[in-house]
Amino acid sequence: MARSDTDHRIRDLVEPFNKKGVEITDATTFAGDLEFDSLTVMDFVAAIEDEFDIIISMNQQAEIETWGQLVDAVEALKPVGN
C-alpha cells in the first residue's frame, strides 16, 4: 500500500476527532492545529492501531507531532500487505 493510501485511511479515522474541520496537511500538528488533548490522542491512536493492526508505543507517540510524522510512523509499523 502506498503512503497516499495510508494517509487517506488515517484521514477517514481522524474525521470524528477533527471537530473544527481543520484542513490537514503533512505539517498539521495535533496539539496546536487540531487542539487534541491527551484523551483524544489516546482514542485516535487506538483507532489507528485497530485499523492497521499495529502498536504505536508511548515513546513513538511522544515523538509524533505532525500529520506527516504520523503517516510515516504508521507506514513503518504496518505489516506487509496492510
Side-chain angles (χ1 to χ4, degrees), residues 6-7 9-14 17 30 36 40-56 61 64 67 70-71 73-75 77-79 82:
T6 299
D7 183 282
R9 285 173 66 184
I10 299 172
R11 283 176 190 270
D12 288 343
L13 294 173
V14 81
F17 299 99
F30 296 99
F36 281 12
T40 303
V41 169
M42 287 176 42
D43 289 343
F44 181 49
V45 168
I48 291 169
E49 290 175 332
D50 289 347
E51 174 72 17
F52 291 96
D53 195 25
I54 60 173
I55 294 179
I56 303 172
Q61 290 177 41
I64 297 170
W67 186 265
L70 173 65
V71 174
V74 171
E75 274 287 297
L77 292 168
K78 284 188 326 188
N82 189 358

